[in-house]
Amino acid sequence: MKNSILTSIIALISFFSFAQGPAGAGGNNAANFNRGHIFGKVVDEQGKPVEFASVVLLKTVVDPATKQSKDILVKAQQAELNGDFNFKEIPVNVRLKLKISFVGYKNYEAPVQFEMPKMDPSSAPKPGQAPDPAVMAKMMAAFEKDLGNIKLLSDSKELEAVVVTSTKALLEMDIDKKSFNVGQNLVTSGGTAVDVMRNIPSVQVDIDGNVKVRNANPTLFIDGRPTSLSMDQIPADIIEKVEVITNPSAKYDASGSMAGIINIILKKNKKNGYNGMLNLSADRFGGSSIMGNFSYQQNKWSLTLMGMKMNMRNNTEGNSQRSSNIGGVESSVYQDINSKNKGSMFFPRFSVDYAVTNRTTLSLAGFFGGGGKFSPTEDIKITSTVNNFTTFSNRLSESSREFNPSGLQLGFKHTYPKAGEELSMDFNYFGGTNKNDATYTTNYLNNGNITGTQIQKNIGSGRNNFMTFQTDYVKPLKNEGNIEMGVRAQLFELVNENNNTLKAVGSDVYKSIPSASTNYENKNNVYAAYVSVSGKTANKISYKIGLRAESSSYDGKLLNTNQTFSNSYPLSLFPSIFLKKDLTPTDQLQLSITRRVSRPNFFQIIPFVDYSDSLNISRGNANLVPEFTTSGELSYSKTKGSATFLLSGYYKYTDNLITRYLSQEINPISGKLDLINTFVNANSSINYGIEGTYTNKLQNWWDLTANVNMYNSKINTANIDKAQITDGLWTVFGKINNTFLLPKKWSIQLSMDYQGKTNMPITQNQGQGGGGGPMGQAQSSSQGYIEPFYGVDLAIKKTFLKNDLASLTLATNDIFRTRGNTRYSYGEGFSQKYYRLSNPQMIRLTLSIRFGQFNMNSMKKNNNQNQDGMQMGQ
């Protein structure tokens, strides 16, 4: 057994050494595996830094002539003013010795030892086979160590040998998340994080890069912090691990995404240098994009510049049919809808990191001068029948939307000599302005001739400011755990102004509709603090128990009437409990229970009717209260060879669910009964299900990932309309992904997903007006369902140039035009069916090129970059 492990380690070292190429004049790669990195701080007995201390690193070799051991200098330097020293690119497969001396102090000497991680002999590479990327990642992580504060005492004391170990597996179940080590994934090399996500179990990705977890959009983190970057802006080659957090703990915002969090862990750089990448793509509808990224790191400085220019061309086709009986008047409306959206977006960004010391880093990042402009158009042919009398009309809409964001992030991070102890402080600012201009022209027809025209115009503008302050501290404990604590303040201000006018049939004058104008300003503040404790019990059960406290308030004002609104939500507590038990080295069991909140936003609360879209009339509800969700999840994982099986059961109960709801009300504009789309608190909602994931490398050239999620969802609306109560609906979602590695650096990816009949999605945190559903049609999660649909995607990739620096990918989305969405909704006096198909059979060609001395840490962020602000700007 020992011989097998030793052979594996030697094989891996030989592979790495061969990959390095010549090591310099007179060097032997196998004998000079220069991947080590050690650093520390020289202090006196009072803990004060020893300036300019001489720090020498030696290696012990055997003299061929005398057969005696002797020390040879590897590197030497003087400690800095604060006592720091730092050695990079040192050999890891030889005996090393650290010596420190300075006038007035006794000499200090200690061995430095790198220890290979423990390995399963079965993971050793076979002759001619490349090592497992996960095993390679373990080794690379084993060659870095903080030696801590080294005291120069009157009596020299030998520092214990530095032992670096790592036992990370390809797939892990941590106490509050599932981790997937992606390492040097050959298929995604030269791609982006979107390509990586296609191979992550529990994550849904279509060819357009839309990422979901359990059919909902998660929040994206980088190195444990929210980010304003999107997945197509993160190179795949700098990603080491992906963490999927389906049930976030008390450390994260209680009002965050109900779909959980995806946290991308970036690789750590061992060398100074520069790198960059360039992505070019084009699709069959005329869309295109160019994204460039350049990073440079030298000594204490790290700089990253990124720019993206995207031109979008989206096509949507569909139809809608609504039947109603309002006030005894029977009517039906059929709409044939064609939509197009042309637009462009430019997003520049920079970031600078400065290592003040080996343990203290300052960060600055920002984006400015970018923005986007979109010009959606829509052509709706309408057939209306009222009491058996049929009329025809044609509604044409032309819109223009523009936004200009800017932002600034500041960060401070300090690590302590004790491994795992750190303090971080972050500040984030995001601001932006936006403008919109829309014209809705309705032509009334008789035998194809226009008999009258009505024109509605909406001109608007707005601005927002978003700031967050956050501090986090982590302190290791004795029982393999730690204590974490932090505070956070979020301040948000929004101003929106709209002018809505209408020129009726036969009139030449535009009349203002003040009751339908949405002119308001809003301030929303959230304050939070959390603490969590983790560790391991005597019977080897790991635990993490946390508690988060949050309070919030908002103040709003209608600018037309000077009417004000305000509310303060009292302090609420959000506990979380996580337990994990290692049943065997390959079997794990995990249990988690959390509580979270979703507060009504200002758009949902303003009690006025929005008539800006006459096909989707909306009204806020000032009586809305927050919804609280309690979630539980039990997971089991088993690994055997290259195969991994995950099985999770989950349950989610929500009180006072905030959902859209359609009902008959008096339209204040027309004075008649009409269908009004508003927001209500349903009694509750229940979601529960079972999710299974299987991943395996069936052959050296064939990777398979399969995921199945069966769930039941039910919304209790007995407090609104007992006649509309429906039973919970069981449904299934499944996906299968195959990746084939072919000769001559070709690869093929074939994937399919299926969504069974399901309830309408819950429209959390959405505003009023258009956007309630496809083509502006109103929808409610408690009043309808979606018919089954499926889709098939295919991508072919060719990698070329030296060191695989370039790749060309041809991808086809929705090959059989089957992802069309058919939705049924119903309620008091109405029923509606609408169908939507967007960008079918999309074909996209992407060229990706990397250059430079690839630096795997230049995008590492130590500061808090808030994604919410970026989403608001877009």
Side-chain angles (χ1 to χ4, degrees):
M1 177 72 73
K2 292 182 179 179
N3 290 337
S4 178
I5 296 176
L6 180 61
T7 302
S8 301
I9 293 175
I10 293 174
L12 287 172
I13 291 178
S14 300
F15 177 81
F16 281 126
S17 301
F18 178 79
Q20 292 303 303
N28 183 297
N29 282 330
N32 293 281
F33 182 39
N34 300 332
R35 287 291 187 178
H37 177 204
I38 62 173
F39 58 91
K41 185 174 185 177
V42 184
V43 298
D44 60 16
E45 296 178 78
Q46 287 74 41
K48 297 181 180 179
V50 178
E51 303 174 3
F52 307 117
S54 176
V55 186
V56 177
L57 189 64
L58 306 168
K59 68 177 178 180
T60 302
V61 298
V62 176
D63 189 330
T66 63
K67 306 299 181 182
Q68 299 294 321
S69 296
K70 67 177 182 179
D71 293 335
I72 298 177
L73 178 66
V74 177
K75 290 191 176 183
Q77 62 181 236
Q78 286 186 325
E80 299 181 14
L81 294 176
N82 59 2
D84 280 354
F85 65 90
N86 190 348
F87 291 117
K88 293 184 178 181
E89 301 178 30
I90 60 176
V92 300
N93 57 330
V94 297
R95 294 164 56 191
L96 297 172
K97 186 184 300 181
L98 182 71
K99 286 188 175 183
I100 303 177
S101 59
F102 193 65
V103 176
Y105 296 91
K106 296 290 185 179
N107 291 341
Y108 174 91
E109 181 177 322
V112 176
Q113 177 184 347
F114 291 100
E115 182 174 299
M116 293 291 183
K118 296 179 181 179
M119 294 174 50
D120 184 349
S122 63
S123 65
K126 298 178 177 56
Q129 178 184 353
D132 189 331
V135 177
M136 293 162 56
K138 291 184 194 178
M139 295 183 60
M140 300 313 297
F143 302 146
E144 180 169 353
K145 187 64 177 178
D146 183 349
L147 300 181
N149 290 350
I150 299 177
K151 292 184 180 180
L152 298 185
L153 306 174
S154 55
D155 296 323
S156 298
K157 293 184 178 180
E158 209 173 77
L159 182 68
E160 294 183 359
V162 179
V163 179
V164 187
T165 61
S166 177
T167 58
K168 292 183 180 179
L170 183 62
L171 171 62
E172 300 172 324
M173 280 183 62
D174 294 328
I175 188 67
D176 58 352
K177 57 182 173 287
K178 298 177 182 67
S179 303
F180 303 92
N181 294 301
V182 297
Q184 302 292 328
N185 193 312
L186 298 179
V187 178
T188 62
S189 179
T192 68
V194 174
D195 302 297
V196 175
M197 296 302 153
R198 290 194 175 95
N199 296 299
I200 301 298
S202 301
V203 178
Q204 304 164 237
V205 184
D206 61 26
I207 217 77
D208 294 317
N210 300 311
V211 177
K212 294 183 179 180
V213 174
R214 291 177 182 167
N215 206 31
N217 297 322
T219 301
L220 176 62
F221 278 30
I222 294 181
D223 287 336
R225 297 293 188 192
T227 178
S228 59
L229 296 176
S230 60
M231 292 211 183
D232 58 359
Q233 297 168 355
I234 305 172
D237 300 87
I238 66 171
I239 301 175
E240 180 170 349
K241 182 166 64 174
V242 175
E243 298 175 344
V244 180
I245 308 172
T246 55
N247 203 11
S249 68
K251 178 178 180 179
Y252 305 100
D253 287 350
S255 56
S257 170
M258 294 299 177
I261 294 169
I262 289 181
N263 184 29
I264 293 177
I265 304 298
L266 304 181
K267 296 176 182 177
K268 295 181 179 180
N269 185 36
K270 302 296 189 300
K271 293 184 177 182
N272 295 326
Y274 68 92
N275 76 88
M277 75 177 301
L278 180 68
N279 273 2
L280 303 171
S281 72
D283 62 56
R284 78 178 186 94
F285 291 130
S288 63
S289 69
I290 177 171
M291 189 270 283
N293 183 83
F294 176 81
S295 298
Y296 177 77
Q297 180 171 307
Q298 184 66 38
N299 298 325
K300 295 177 177 290
W301 292 92
S302 178
L303 169 68
T304 298
L305 301 174
M306 190 271 289
M308 179 191 67
K309 180 68 165 63
M310 181 180 294
N311 297 311
M312 288 166 285
R313 302 291 186 270
N314 296 324
N315 297 324
T316 301
E317 58 187 70
N319 57 74
S320 171
Q321 184 171 355
R322 176 188 288 187
S323 299
S324 63
N325 189 328
I326 302 175
V329 178
E330 293 188 359
S331 64
S332 65
V333 179
Y334 177 82
Q335 303 176 40
D336 184 17
I337 307 166
N338 283 282
S339 303
K340 297 182 182 296
N341 189 8
K342 296 172 57 178
S344 64
M345 181 172 63
F346 176 59
F347 180 62
R349 187 179 185 279
F350 76 92
S351 66
V352 180
D353 293 339
Y354 174 68
V356 181
T357 69
N358 288 335
R359 303 189 184 107
T360 303
T361 302
L362 298 178
S363 301
L364 169 67
F367 54 92
F368 54 89
K373 185 174 183 179
F374 303 90
S375 301
T377 61
E378 193 170 59
D379 183 352
I380 306 177
K381 296 178 174 59
I382 305 171
T383 302
S384 302
T385 301
V386 179
N387 291 335
N388 296 321
F389 180 75
T390 301
T391 60
F392 302 92
S393 59
N394 184 205
R395 186 186 194 227
L396 304 172
S397 64
E398 295 183 353
S399 305
S400 175
R401 294 182 286 117
E402 182 178 344
F403 69 92
N404 298 280
S406 60
L408 179 69
Q409 299 92 32
L410 302 174
F412 166 86
K413 184 174 182 178
H414 178 74
T415 60
Y416 295 85
K418 187 173 183 180
E421 184 178 4
E422 66 178 42
L423 171 69
S424 62
M425 291 183 285
D426 306 296
F427 166 77
N428 176 82
Y429 165 78
F430 176 86
T433 60
N434 61 82
K435 295 188 298 183
N436 63 275
D437 185 349
T439 300
Y440 305 93
T441 303
T442 302
N443 295 315
Y444 298 94
L445 307 174
N446 186 4
N447 293 325
N449 299 316
I450 299 177
T451 59
T453 300
Q454 174 183 284
I455 302 176
Q456 182 179 351
K457 290 187 176 182
N458 184 278
I459 300 175
S461 63
R463 65 181 185 277
N464 62 74
N465 294 293
F466 184 87
M467 291 188 294
T468 59
F469 304 83
Q470 182 167 338
T471 299
D472 298 281
Y473 174 72
V474 182
K475 175 75 173 180
L477 301 177
K478 294 181 179 179
N479 58 344
E480 300 184 25
N482 56 52
I483 181 170
E484 299 178 68
M485 60 188 69
V487 294
R488 187 175 192 265
Q490 173 183 301
L491 312 177
F492 176 60
E493 181 180 5
L494 175 68
V495 177
N496 192 76
E497 298 181 2
N498 275 279
N499 180 26
N500 195 23
T501 59
L502 179 68
K503 186 176 76 169
V505 176
S507 174
D508 294 327
V509 179
Y510 284 94
K511 293 185 178 181
S512 178
I513 311 177
S515 59
S517 297
T518 53
N519 301 319
Y520 54 83
E521 61 183 26
N522 167 43
K523 295 181 180 180
N524 186 8
N525 302 328
V526 180
Y527 305 95
Y530 77 91
V531 60
S532 67
V533 179
S534 63
K536 184 175 288 187
T537 64
N539 56 356
K540 304 300 182 181
I541 295 179
S542 300
Y543 64 87
K544 185 174 184 178
I545 301 174
L547 182 65
R548 187 178 185 89
E550 285 192 358
S551 67
S552 64
S553 63
Y554 75 82
D555 296 283
K557 180 180 179 181
L558 295 181
L559 302 181
N560 285 7
T561 62
N562 290 324
Q563 186 179 2
T564 60
F565 303 88
S566 64
N567 200 350
S568 296
Y569 297 114
L571 186 71
S572 298
L573 300 179
F574 303 93
S576 64
I577 300 174
F578 292 82
L579 302 173
K580 187 184 77 168
K581 173 68 174 178
D582 293 331
L583 304 177
T584 69
T586 60
D587 296 70
Q588 292 182 337
L589 194 65
Q590 178 179 307
L591 173 68
S592 63
I593 301 174
T594 65
R595 184 174 189 251
R596 298 175 71 76
V597 66
S598 181
R599 304 178 182 91
N601 60 43
F602 187 67
F603 311 105
Q604 297 169 331
I605 293 175
I606 300 176
F608 69 83
V609 175
D610 180 8
Y611 196 71
S612 58
D613 183 354
S614 59
L615 298 180
N616 184 20
I617 305 172
S618 298
R619 176 182 58 79
N621 181 0
N623 296 319
L624 287 178
V625 298
E627 64 178 44
F628 290 89
T629 300
T630 301
S631 302
E633 185 170 342
L634 180 65
S635 299
Y636 166 77
S637 70
K638 182 176 182 61
T639 302
K640 184 177 181 180
S642 63
T644 299
F645 175 69
L646 280 171
L647 183 65
S648 299
Y650 56 92
Y651 179 88
K652 183 179 293 184
Y653 178 84
T654 301
D655 268 326
N656 297 314
L657 176 77
I658 300 173
T659 180
R660 287 184 179 268
Y661 197 83
L662 285 133
S663 61
Q664 295 185 23
E665 298 183 25
I666 297 295
N667 186 334
I669 306 302
S670 65
K672 299 179 181 180
L673 270 178
D674 212 333
L675 288 174
I676 305 296
N677 184 19
T678 186
F679 298 89
V680 298
N681 284 114
N683 270 346
S684 61
S685 74
I686 298 175
N687 292 273
Y688 55 92
I690 299 176
E691 182 182 28
T693 300
Y694 176 77
T695 178
N696 194 5
K697 191 175 188 66
L698 299 177
Q699 300 290 336
N700 289 334
W701 49 270
W702 183 9
D703 287 331
L704 171 70
T705 299
N707 177 259
V708 177
N709 183 17
M710 297 182 61
Y711 57 95
N712 184 286
S713 57
K714 178 180 180 179
I715 299 177
N716 181 356
T717 58
N719 59 318
I720 306 169
D721 188 351
K722 294 183 180 180
Q724 296 299 326
I725 297 177
T726 58
D727 295 330
L729 179 64
W730 276 101
T731 189
V732 62
F733 170 81
K735 77 169 183 177
I736 186 169
N737 183 64
N738 297 275
T739 301
F740 306 99
L741 299 180
L742 305 180
K744 298 184 179 180
K745 299 182 180 180
W746 285 89
S747 60
I748 296 178
Q749 189 162 321
L750 177 65
S751 59
M752 184 184 77
D753 57 78
Y754 171 81
Q755 174 67 65
K757 180 181 178 181
T758 182
N759 286 331
M760 293 282 194
I762 297 173
T763 53
Q764 292 178 344
N765 296 327
Q766 290 187 3
Q768 291 180 253
M775 289 90 66
Q777 301 304 301
Q779 66 173 332
S780 168
S781 53
S782 61
Q783 295 173 286
Y785 62 89
I786 305 173
E787 286 191 341
F789 64 92
Y790 74 95
V792 178
D793 304 321
L794 176 68
I796 303 174
K797 179 178 179 180
K798 167 65 175 176
T799 302
F800 56 97
L801 296 186
K802 184 179 180 180
N803 298 324
D804 298 336
L805 291 180
S807 66
L808 191 65
T809 303
L810 179 67
T812 304
N813 178 46
D814 193 12
I815 296 175
F816 304 111
R817 296 174 60 94
T818 51
R819 283 205 177 98
N821 214 258
T822 301
R823 303 189 175 200
Y824 290 89
S825 58
Y826 43 82
E828 179 188 2
F830 83 94
S831 64
Q832 179 172 300
K833 172 186 176 181
Y834 46 93
Y835 168 82
R836 173 181 182 264
L837 179 63
S838 180
N839 293 333
Q841 297 176 325
M842 169 71 80
I843 299 176
R844 178 181 292 109
L845 184 65
T846 302
L847 172 65
S848 178
I849 302 174
R850 296 178 296 142
F851 60 89
Q853 303 170 355
F854 201 62
N855 175 333
M856 297 179 181
N857 192 41
S858 55
M859 283 188 63
K860 183 174 179 64
K861 302 296 179 292
N862 295 315
N863 57 315
N864 184 3
Q865 304 153 36
N866 190 280
Q867 178 184 358
D868 297 335
M870 183 61 190
Q871 290 177 334
M872 291 175 186
Q874 295 181 349

